[in-house]
Structures are given as C-alpha cells and as structure tokens.
Amino acid sequence: MVYFEGEKEHKDLIPGLPNEIAELCLLHVPYPYQALSRSVSSTWNRAITHPSFIFSKKTLSHPNLFVLAFHSQTGKLQWQALDPSSARWFLLPRMPSPGDTCPQRLACAALPRQGKLFVVNGAETLAYRAATNQWSAAGGPGRKGFVAAEGVEGRIVAVGRGGTGVYDPESDTWREGSGLGGELERYEVVAAGGRVYVTEGWWWPFMFRPRGWVYEVERDTWREMGIGMREGWSGVGVAAGGRVFMIAEYGDSPVKVYDEERDTWRVVGGGRFPREVMKRPFCGTGLDDRIYVACRGLNVAIGSVEVVSGKGKGCGGDVSVTWQVVEAPRAFREFSPCSCQVLYA
C-alpha cells in the first residue's frame, strides 16, 4: 500500500520497519483499539483510514457480540461488545439519545459484514461503525412507531405500529413498505432467506392465539405466517445458516428449528442448552452457523450449528447445536439484555 504517493516527504509508520511490515502490524491491532490508534500520529491516522487498509482489515475481522444492556437498579442503558475469542468485554461510546429512552422503543439491527449497527429511535436513526468506534446520525424514517428491525441483504427493515420502513444505508434514505396485516401486542422479528418473520408470540394469560406475518423483502409483500410456526413460537427466535431457530422460554429451554415444509417446530440434536447458567430474560441473534444468546447477568451461550449430510433441509433431525458458555464478570449481574447484534470488528 502506498500512503503518501506524490508527497516529497513522509514519515515511517513504525521507525525502523518497512511500511509494508508496519501495515501488517496495524492490521492486527484488535477492536476497539484500532480506532484509538488513529490518534497516535497523523501518519497512522492516514494509514488506518486509507481505503485499501480498510478493505484489508475486513479480511481479518471476526464476529463480536454487541449487547444493549439495561441496569435493573439505575435504569441505565449501555452498549457493550464481547470478543468471544478472548472473553473480553468493551464498553461502547454512549449512544446519543435522550436519557429517558425506553428500551422497548428502540428498534435495533445490524449489517454484520459492513460492521455497522443501527438504532431506530422514534423518527431518528443512529448508526455505529465498528471501524471508527463512533456513533453518528443517519437519515430518519420521518415517522414514529417502529419497535423492531432486522438487517436483510444490505438493508434495514423496521416494523411496528408505524407500518413498514426499509432503510438503504448506501443512499441514507428510507422508503415506506407495504402495510402489515394488523397491529401486534408485541413484536419479535427474525430475518432469514430474504424474508422477515414477525410474531407477537404467546403472552399471559394466553387467552388469544398469537398472530404473525412474513415479509418478502424483494416483493414488498406481507403474508400471514403459517399456523404451526406462529403457534409453536414460544421463545426467542434466532436465524442462523438460513434457518429459523427458537430457544423456548419454558422448562429446560429446548432448542427447536422450524420445518417450513411441514409447518412445524422440531427439537434439534446436539448438546442441551446450558440452562443452569443462562437465566431469563434471553436475547438472541445469529450469524452464519453460530447462535448467540445473552441472558440476565450477560452470560453468553454460543451455539455451533451443524447440518448432518444426507438429510433434507426441512427436517429438524438433520440439525444439531453444540453450546459453549462465556461467563460474564460479576459486575454485570444487574444487567439484562435488551438487544443482541453481531458485527465483524
């Protein structure tokens, strides 16, 4: 990489090392310290913000779990990031939002490959970039009422009492999508295979059957969710490997995968969900073949999804999940997760 082409004078990135070797050293500075290293010198700042450096950094990034946590005693909201490989937590800069923001009014979503996190708060949209470890204001939807969101094929789809909104980060613009079939008591959203699944799930005192819809992003159309899917959705939904999983919020929290052909949920194989260290409430997300679940106290369970060859994709018996737990520091015991997102950082 040439950083100072055309300049008469330049400084070495690291004295005594060729710039090519120094660049490799900077590329291996882990998140979130790379953003801080920009302040070392103007030379480092230009190198780290160079487009070819950012492109190279993407190949070395790995998934980090970002959790919006609520403190039960102080009511404080804060974003924290977990590096699963080192089990280290990092505190993000404070989100620029009103101090009295209610977690239920925030619709959070991510574009993992771009390293970007988005929070829709009323008519305002906030964007966080892992590359710079900074928040910024993005284009607002112009309407309120979005309470849930998901990243789908490079766009953010938000739903709620305000209808449907689709945000394009490249143009920093929102467009209005087709209307949802009706209002829900609560909104849980999962995206898989170019579709957004929205359900209200079961809620006490279980007098009404849950409702649910499926949004086809490319067609901008909603259809009613299958009976088996919406009535069997009794926990936290997560998408991984193109499938929709559910961690039940009862008993030992069995993990199930949705069988679209049969419109039913099937218990997966593999190890049992680590219920003894994972205390409700749960919050989950997924990326590639991994499922991430955070719980009260911010313990995190990471499930590795494996598909047994030779069996159909629609059968739940072909899927197994094995779990490992990253236990949080005791200082986090009063925190509960409100949202979980995975970003490459």
Side-chain angles (χ1 to χ4, degrees):
M1 181 193 303
V2 179
Y3 300 108
F4 314 111
E5 185 177 357
E7 294 185 8
K8 295 181 179 180
E9 297 181 359
H10 70 273
K11 296 180 180 179
D12 293 332
L13 289 175
I14 300 178
L17 289 179
N19 276 352
E20 293 78 7
I21 303 300
E23 176 195 347
L24 290 175
C25 296
L26 293 180
L27 282 171
H28 284 83
V29 174
Y31 169 86
Y33 302 113
Q34 197 165 77
L36 296 176
S37 63
R38 294 171 54 191
S39 62
V40 171
S41 68
S42 60
T43 306
W44 279 33
N45 181 48
R46 282 185 287 177
I48 291 172
T49 56
H50 195 282
S52 59
F53 183 94
I54 296 174
F55 178 80
S56 299
K57 179 61 179 175
K58 288 182 178 180
T59 64
L60 297 175
S61 299
H62 62 274
N64 282 248
L65 180 65
F66 290 72
V67 180
L68 177 61
F70 174 81
H71 195 280
S72 61
Q73 301 299 316
T74 65
K76 179 182 179 181
L77 278 174
Q78 65 183 42
W79 280 98
Q80 299 183 165
L82 170 68
D83 178 359
S85 62
S86 64
R88 296 182 63 185
W89 286 89
F90 305 95
L91 181 64
L92 270 64
R94 183 177 179 181
M95 183 170 58
S97 60
D100 59 348
T101 298
C102 175
Q104 287 76 21
R105 296 176 183 172
L106 302 178
C108 307
L111 297 177
R113 304 289 176 183
Q114 298 182 22
K116 295 180 180 180
L117 171 69
F118 299 90
V119 179
V120 183
N121 179 16
E124 178 185 31
T125 304
L126 302 172
Y128 170 84
R129 291 187 61 196
T132 60
N133 192 30
Q134 291 179 337
W135 291 94
S136 62
R143 60 193 302 179
K144 298 182 179 181
F146 294 134
V147 295
E150 272 286 358
V152 186
E153 299 177 349
R155 289 164 289 181
I156 302 298
V157 177
V159 297
R161 291 176 174 83
T164 307
V166 181
Y167 175 67
D168 182 359
E170 293 298 322
S171 61
D172 191 26
T173 57
W174 284 84
R175 68 171 176 83
E176 185 174 349
S178 61
L180 193 65
E183 291 188 4
L184 303 179
E185 288 295 321
R186 59 180 187 175
Y187 292 77
E188 181 168 357
V189 179
V190 172
R195 300 172 180 172
V196 177
Y197 300 85
V198 183
T199 181
E200 61 187 350
W202 292 94
W203 75 95
W204 181 260
F206 311 115
M207 296 178 60
F208 304 98
R209 295 182 181 276
R211 295 164 293 177
W213 284 271
V214 181
Y215 181 60
E216 299 280 353
V217 178
E218 291 300 326
R219 298 179 181 177
D220 188 28
T221 58
W222 287 95
R223 62 174 172 83
E224 192 172 9
M225 184 181 291
I227 295 176
M229 186 179 204
R230 67 174 185 262
E231 293 195 356
W233 199 315
S234 55
V236 175
V238 176
R243 293 174 168 83
V244 179
F245 293 82
M246 185 253 307
I247 298 95
E249 294 184 298
Y250 61 85
D252 290 333
S253 300
V255 181
K256 300 181 181 181
V257 62
Y258 179 63
D259 183 340
E260 186 174 6
E261 293 180 2
R262 297 174 176 83
D263 189 26
T264 188
W265 295 90
R266 299 182 181 274
V267 177
V268 303
R272 189 173 61 88
F273 183 74
R275 186 68 180 84
E276 61 279 0
V277 294
M278 300 295 292
K279 308 300 182 183
R280 290 188 291 264
F282 299 145
C283 185
T285 189
L287 180 65
D288 299 330
D289 61 349
R290 293 289 188 273
I291 297 173
Y292 301 83
V293 182
C295 72
R296 176 165 53 88
L298 301 193
N299 286 341
V300 174
I302 303 175
S304 300
V305 178
E306 183 178 359
V307 179
V308 179
S309 60
K311 295 186 179 181
K313 182 176 179 179
C315 178
D318 67 338
V319 181
S320 65
V321 181
T322 56
W323 297 92
Q324 69 177 84
V325 175
V326 180
E327 295 196 35
R330 287 185 56 82
F332 291 175
R333 62 183 180 272
E334 298 297 337
F335 280 103
S336 292
C338 304
S339 176
C340 294
Q341 308 293 331
V342 178
L343 301 181
Y344 277 87

